[in-house]
Amino acid sequence: MIKELVFATNNKHKTEEVGKLLLNEYKVLNLSDIGCTVDIPETGDTFEENAFLKSSYVVENYQLDCFADDSGLEIEALNNEPGIYSARYSGQKDDQVNLKLVLQKMEGLSNRKARFKTVISLIQEKKNYFFEGVINGYIRENPIGDQGFGYDPIFVPEGYEQSFAQMSMEQKNQISHRAIAMRKLIAFLKEQQPVL
Ligand code: ITT
C-alpha cells in the first residue's frame, strides 16, 4: 500500500512539483487535504525557522509526521532580497506584482546574479531534520514563459537559456532548488526504510 506524507503548504504549485517527485513512493497530502485552512504565520528570520514553524504547526495540531519547505529568491545586487519575503515582497501575495517590483528594483543593474533556495524541515517522531537545495542563475530584463509560478518567468538557471517558466515541470524538477532538497529528503527516507 502506498504511504501518505503530509506536506505543510497552501501553494498548489509546490504540491504538484513535490507530488511528481514522490510519485512512486508516497501520496502527498497538503494542508487542505488534512482539513487545515490556516495560513500558518511565518514569523522567523530564516528559511530554516519558517520551514520549522510550518512543519511543527502540523505536528502539534494534527499529530501527523510532516515536512514543509520555505523557499525564495536571493538576488546578489539587492542584498539577497526578496529572500524570506519572496511570497509577499510588495506587501501583497501576488506573483505578478512581486515579480514587477523585482524588475523595477533591478532596472539598470548589470549584476543580475541570483539564486533560488529551499529549506525543508521534516519532523519525524518528534525529531527535526533540515534539507537544503540551491540553484544559481540570473534575472532576466523581462518575464518570459507561462509555466511554473512565482519568479519563474524572470529566472534563468546557470547553463541554460530558458527561464524556469519556459520549462516543463519535468525539466524544472530535474534541476530546481526544491527538487535538490527533495532528493535529499527522499534519500533520507529510503535510508530509514530500505524497502522503498
Ligand atoms: P507555503 O508557505 O504555503 O508553502 P508560499 O507560496 O507562501 O506557500 P513560501 O513561504 O516558501 O511559500 O514562499 C516562497 C515564495 O518564493 C513563493 O511564493 C514564490 O514567490 C517564490 N518561490 C519559491 N520557489 C519558487 C519557484 O520554484 N519558482 C518561482 N518562485 C518561487
Side-chain angles (χ1 to χ4, degrees):
M1 203 182 71
I2 194 135
K3 288 194 171 178
E4 293 182 341
L5 199 56
V6 179
F7 180 20
T9 184
N10 285 311
N11 185 319
K12 291 194 176 68
H13 297 277
K14 284 188 184 179
T15 310
E16 217 188 324
E17 284 183 13
V18 161
K20 283 239 159 82
L21 287 166
L22 281 172
L23 200 57
N24 298 318
E25 281 113 16
Y26 284 94
K27 177 167 191 253
V28 176
L29 303 179
N30 66 14
L31 289 177
S32 72
D33 294 326
I34 61 165
C36 177
T37 50
V38 177
D39 192 9
I40 303 168
E42 295 177 36
T43 50
D45 294 326
T46 60
F47 291 117
E48 281 80 3
E49 282 178 65
N50 285 335
F52 181 72
L53 282 171
K54 291 184 254 191
S55 57
S56 54
Y57 183 92
V58 169
V59 173
E60 276 159 30
N61 292 281
Y62 294 84
Q63 290 77 46
L64 292 168
D65 284 353
C66 160
F67 71 96
D69 100 41
D70 199 52
S71 46
L73 179 65
E74 296 185 329
I75 301 174
E76 196 172 271
L78 301 182
N79 293 320
N80 286 338
E81 283 184 18
I84 60 165
Y85 305 109
S86 292
R88 295 174 186 273
Y89 193 38
S90 63
Q92 296 177 54
K93 203 162 185 170
D94 182 322
D95 284 353
Q96 287 306 315
V97 178
N98 292 329
L99 179 153
K100 280 209 182 99
L101 179 59
V102 164
L103 287 181
Q104 198 184 313
K105 291 201 179 202
M106 298 280 299
E107 243 171 53
L109 298 182
S110 55
N111 177 7
R112 316 289 300 182
K113 279 191 208 157
R115 59 187 203 160
F116 266 124
K117 187 166 168 182
T118 290
V119 173
I120 293 174
S121 152
L122 167 73
I123 302 181
Q124 222 182 21
E125 293 170 9
K126 306 226 165 96
K127 277 196 227 131
N128 179 66
Y129 306 89
F130 285 123
F131 306 93
E132 188 182 297
V134 170
I135 180 159
N136 292 311
Y138 72 87
I139 301 297
R140 284 176 51 90
E141 308 267 344
N142 49 8
I144 189 164
D146 56 8
Q147 307 292 304
F149 69 104
Y151 301 95
D152 281 345
I154 55 169
F155 182 82
V156 178
E158 219 168 70
Y160 293 79
E161 306 262 293
Q162 293 174 304
S163 78
F164 263 173
Q166 290 176 293
M167 297 182 179
S168 65
M169 192 180 295
E170 286 69 23
Q171 281 174 299
K172 184 181 168 190
N173 262 345
Q174 301 279 330
I175 58 174
S176 84
H177 48 310
R178 187 165 301 98
I180 294 168
M182 278 303 298
R183 277 198 279 274
K184 293 180 185 171
L185 168 77
I186 293 167
F188 175 83
L189 294 173
K190 280 191 176 164
E191 239 171 65
Q192 294 179 311
Q193 292 159 314
V195 285
L196 282 180

